[in-house]
Amino acid sequence: DAGVIQSPRHEVTEMGQEVTLRCKPISGHNSLFWYRQTMMRGLELLIYFNNNVPIDDSGMPEDRFSAKMPNASFSTLKIQPSEPRDSAVYFCASSVLAGLYEQYFGPGTRLTVT
Amino acid sequence: TQLLEQSPQFLSIQEGENLTVYCNSSSVFSSLQWYRQEPGEGPVLLVTVVTGGEVKKLKRLTFQFGDARKDSSLHITAAQPGDTGLYLCAVDNYGQNFVFGPGTRLSVLP
C-alpha cells in the first residue's frame, strides 16, 4: 500500500486566498484525522471522521476551516479566507478505527500564508 | 492547561549515552501511545501500552506505563544518531478526543 497520500506537499498563498488540502487514506481504514502542527502549539487534532461521518470537530479553530469526506478514499480540509496565523504543517492520518488504534500519518502539507 | 506534559522539552546527548523521557498527566487513561517523528515526516507509532505497570521493550527502547495509568516513560539505551527525532506521547481521552503531548525533541550527536 502507498500509505496515506497528501497533496500538495507545500503551499504558499497570500492572506485572504482559499486553500484546499487533500488526503487519500489507506484503503480499508475507517477513520480519518486532520491535525495541525506548529512549534508553539504542537500537534493538534482538528477533526476526525468515522466511516466518512465527522465525529469530533471541536478542534477546528473557527468557521474559516471546513473539512469534508465525500467517500472512503478522499478528504479535504479547506481554509477560506486564509490568514498568516494558519501557517503550519497539516497532517492527515488514518486508522482502522478511531480510539487507540495505530494512526498512520501522511507526509504533511506545509502551508505558508503571507 | 495541557492534558499531557512531556519532559524534558529538549535533550541533546552523545552517541552511546542512555536517556529517559517522560509523559505525565493528572488524568487517568485507558491506554497510551508513543510516536517518533523525524524531520519532514509524520509521526510513526512505536508502542501502545494498556495495563498499569506494563513494560514493553522494542530493541533498545523500553516503555513503561505507570501503575496509576497517569504517566509513562521511554528509556533509550546506548542512543544512536538514528534515534534523533521528536518523541510524542498520545492518549485517547475516553472517546472525547485524541490528544498528543508537546513532545521531547531528542538530538543524538555522533
Side-chain angles (χ1 to χ4, degrees):
Chain A
D1 200 316
V4 176
I5 299 173
Q6 290 188 248
S7 64
R9 291 294 309 275
H10 302 273
E11 177 80 36
V12 180
T13 191
E14 292 184 347
M15 182 174 62
Q17 296 298 305
E18 177 180 294
V19 175
T20 299
L21 311 181
R22 297 173 175 79
C23 175
K24 176 178 170 54
I26 293 173
S27 177
H29 283 190
N30 298 304
S31 297
L32 182 141
F33 307 79
W34 282 101
Y35 291 89
R36 177 174 67 179
Q37 187 174 40
T38 62
M39 288 295 293
M40 290 296 294
R41 301 178 65 89
L43 192 63
E44 302 174 282
L45 177 66
L46 300 177
I47 185 172
Y48 80 89
F49 296 81
N50 274 353
N51 297 313
N52 313 335
V53 177
I55 302 301
D56 181 4
D57 65 354
S58 59
M60 295 286 264
E62 47 196 274
D63 292 346
R64 297 184 297 106
F65 285 69
S66 62
K68 293 182 179 180
M69 192 165 185
N71 57 63
S73 60
F74 183 66
S75 178
T76 60
L77 177 67
K78 185 177 293 186
I79 308 173
Q80 166 63 17
S82 58
E83 297 182 2
R85 60 190 168 126
D86 301 330
S87 296
V89 180
Y90 290 80
F91 287 103
C92 175
S94 70
S95 69
V96 173
L97 281 175
L100 226 54
Y101 292 87
E102 178 173 3
Q103 293 189 24
Y104 293 81
F105 283 77
T109 295
R110 182 173 294 276
L111 174 64
T112 303
V113 183
T114 61
Chain B
T1 302
Q2 289 268 12
L3 185 63
L4 293 174
E5 296 181 347
Q6 291 191 246
S7 60
Q9 187 177 1
F10 298 96
L11 185 58
S12 182
I13 61 171
Q14 293 293 134
E15 181 176 2
E17 292 184 6
N18 301 332
L19 67 114
T20 302
V21 298
Y22 301 91
C23 175
N24 297 288
S25 176
S26 57
S27 300
V28 176
F29 300 106
S30 58
S31 56
L32 182 148
Q33 293 179 326
W34 284 94
Y35 286 77
R36 179 171 65 210
Q37 183 179 17
E38 299 185 12
E41 299 182 6
V44 176
L45 180 69
L46 295 173
V47 76
T48 300
V49 285
V50 178
T51 306
E54 180 178 6
V55 177
K56 282 192 173 180
K57 292 193 174 183
L58 183 65
K59 297 183 180 178
R60 295 177 293 99
L61 279 59
T62 302
F63 304 85
Q64 183 162 9
F65 200 15
D67 291 341
R69 291 188 285 116
K70 293 183 178 181
D71 54 82
S72 181
S73 64
L74 160 57
H75 181 80
I76 302 179
T77 303
Q80 299 177 1
D83 296 326
T84 293
L86 178 66
Y87 288 81
L88 298 160
C89 61
V91 295
D92 174 20
N93 193 20
Y94 290 102
Q96 296 302 305
N97 52 32
F98 199 75
V99 177
F100 278 81
T104 291
R105 195 167 296 277
L106 172 65
S107 178
V108 182
L109 306 175

